[in-house]
Amino acid sequence: MSNPQKNPRRFTDTLKILAFACLLGSVVTTPAFGLQYERIIDLGVEVRPADINNNGTVTGSCKTGAPDCPDGAATSVAFRYTRSGGIELLNAATVQANAINDSEQITGNTATGAFLYDGNLRQWEGYTGSGINEAGQISGSKALKNPYRATPLPLDPAIYTPNTWDNMGIAQTYPRGTRDGVYADLYSLRDINNLGYAVGSRSRYGLAGSSAILTEPAFDTVIYLPVPYGGYASAINDQLMIAGTSATNSSAGAYAHAFLYDYTSGTYTDLGTLTNASGEHGLTSSAADINAQNQVVGSSWLVSTLTSVYDPTMYHAFVRDEAGGMQDLNDPAVVTDTSLSVWILTAATAINDNGDIVGTALDGDGKVHGFLLTNADLQATPPPPVVEPPVATKGNRGKKK
């Protein structure tokens, strides 16, 4: 990695990061042995949270027709959850909400493209919306044309900065033998921080494997991260700490693990896996999110010997921080609320700067529920702000590499 002091733009970014860290202070109180949670909240059957902001608002998708999901027009529909209003559907056109910022702006996907919801709904066909920062920038991808066949469509890295989408124009198609356009680049930017750094993955349609990638604020090139055997990057905070998952290489006896990567220093940390009831480390883990305190959440597979048998109860949600290492959210020393002790928390999907965690769990009958772990008092979430009608936007401002 380059030395920030020898790179003026990187050095300026580093100063911004340090100033931002000082303003944040220590939001979460972390005991010497790690985190503890006093309250678990059931968000409902077939509710799948994707993100939680610092106001405590949760967003994600729920399955239409499930007991705790209001009626909607699609198989799944995006929702917003607040403590004052419970589950509220955004719009019948929305299928999946992926991220929410502290201004209560939500991004995600419809059946045909990306959306931005802030009380009003804006949609863009051919794009995906995966992450959103406090400036309203959205990270995702743009579908390009395949000149040889209807599918696959190459996916290009794309970022929305109000009120314009940028994409790099670098995704290509590739032949297989004499048949053109059989393979295609698939770029996806899954998260974007407040400095404009975005992370995600690059893979190719029709081929196995992927690579973890990053784009800097200039958004003029893709940087490949040194993650073992490829993998992907899930989230990045304003200290340029990146959470993600390495790839499996069975011939080398290596399995996918959650990781933490410091982009400034170039330091890579394998976060390992949880242990099972026999005291053996599970084979795999994956990271979904990281907050300002570098606390990482995700899921770990407790199986210690490779098997093709799928058992959802063998996946456990985790939180990882410097004090406690990787902690199983099913450990009663971590979640002290025993009201839902028959549940198995299978995946933690997001963590905010207050340490609140959302994810999915299995109840005693094997049904999927969304959950929220918190230590905050349960006062009502502030209502979303009143917004002006959106300015009409159109088109795409493409950039060639």
Side-chain angles (χ1 to χ4, degrees):
M1 304 305 295
S2 62
N3 184 337
Q5 296 185 21
K6 295 181 180 179
N7 184 328
R9 181 164 59 82
R10 179 67 59 76
F11 183 60
T12 300
D13 288 343
T14 303
L15 291 178
K16 291 178 182 177
I17 294 164
L18 292 174
F20 189 81
C22 291
L23 288 174
L24 281 174
S26 179
V27 179
V28 179
T29 300
T30 306
F33 52 83
L35 297 175
Q36 282 186 318
Y37 291 91
E38 300 172 355
R39 182 69 186 269
I40 181 169
I41 299 170
D42 181 2
L43 299 181
V45 177
E46 292 294 346
V47 172
R48 299 176 186 270
D51 199 15
I52 181 171
N53 67 13
N54 292 327
N55 303 325
T57 307
V58 181
T59 198
S61 66
C62 60
K63 187 175 181 180
T64 301
D68 299 295
C69 186
D71 290 337
T75 302
S76 68
V77 63
F79 74 84
R80 172 175 58 200
Y81 167 87
T82 61
R83 291 187 293 274
S84 56
I87 295 286
E88 170 197 359
L89 299 189
L90 302 188
N91 183 288
T94 63
V95 175
Q96 169 69 48
N98 293 319
I100 183 171
N101 63 18
D102 290 347
S103 297
E104 304 291 330
Q105 295 176 306
I106 298 171
T107 191
N109 299 313
T110 66
T112 58
F115 75 81
L116 173 65
Y117 183 86
D118 55 7
N120 297 289
L121 182 67
R122 276 171 271 192
Q123 303 178 64
W124 300 276
E125 289 193 9
Y127 290 88
T128 61
S130 299
I132 189 168
N133 65 16
E134 295 306 316
Q137 288 184 294
I138 298 172
S139 60
S141 62
K142 173 180 170 54
L144 304 182
K145 292 182 179 179
N146 185 332
Y148 305 104
R149 57 189 68 236
T151 60
L153 298 180
L155 295 183
D156 211 39
I159 288 179
Y160 171 80
T161 300
N163 289 300
T164 305
W165 279 95
D166 269 351
N167 68 286
M168 289 186 184
I170 60 174
Q172 301 179 42
T173 61
Y174 304 88
R176 183 169 66 190
T178 59
R179 298 165 57 196
D180 288 323
V182 176
Y183 303 124
D185 286 324
L186 303 177
Y187 289 93
S188 175
L189 297 178
R190 303 178 183 216
D191 191 30
I192 184 167
N193 71 8
N194 292 318
L195 301 175
Y197 290 80
V199 295
S201 64
R202 181 218 181 186
S203 60
R204 286 189 182 177
Y205 180 90
L207 296 176
S210 63
S211 298
I213 62 172
L214 174 142
T215 62
E216 294 189 328
F219 196 57
D220 54 5
T221 189
V222 168
I223 296 168
Y224 290 84
L225 302 177
V227 176
Y229 309 112
Y232 59 89
S234 300
I236 182 170
N237 66 17
D238 290 326
Q239 290 78 47
L240 302 190
M241 300 294 288
I242 300 166
T245 306
S246 66
T248 291
N249 185 321
S250 56
S251 62
Y255 295 94
H257 280 194
F259 70 79
L260 186 63
Y261 181 70
D262 185 337
Y263 184 60
T264 302
S265 69
T267 303
Y268 180 91
T269 303
D270 183 336
L271 300 186
T273 62
L274 295 173
T275 56
N276 57 30
S278 300
E280 301 169 316
H281 279 279
L283 285 179
T284 68
S285 61
S286 60
D289 197 19
I290 184 171
N291 67 5
Q293 284 70 45
N294 299 330
Q295 294 160 338
V296 178
V297 294
S299 181
S300 184
W301 192 34
L302 302 187
V303 170
S304 57
T305 303
L306 191 62
T307 174
S308 61
V309 177
Y310 174 68
D311 181 356
T313 67
M314 293 301 290
Y315 290 87
H316 279 203
F318 73 80
V319 60
R320 187 267 185 189
D321 75 337
E322 289 295 336
M326 184 178 283
Q327 298 172 271
D328 191 333
L329 293 180
N330 296 279
D331 185 339
V334 179
V335 179
T336 59
D337 183 346
T338 61
S339 61
L340 298 173
S341 58
V342 297
W343 282 19
I344 298 174
L345 308 189
T346 55
T349 52
I351 182 169
N352 66 15
D353 294 341
N354 305 314
D356 302 324
I357 296 173
V358 293
T360 53
L362 296 175
D363 68 15
D365 296 322
K367 295 178 181 177
V368 176
H369 289 245
F371 71 80
L372 165 62
L373 294 178
T374 185
N375 288 322
D377 59 22
L378 296 182
Q379 60 186 0
T381 304
V386 176
V387 296
E388 298 296 326
V391 177
T393 60
K394 63 179 180 179
N396 159 66
R397 181 160 59 96
K399 297 196 300 184
K400 295 293 182 181
K401 185 177 179 183

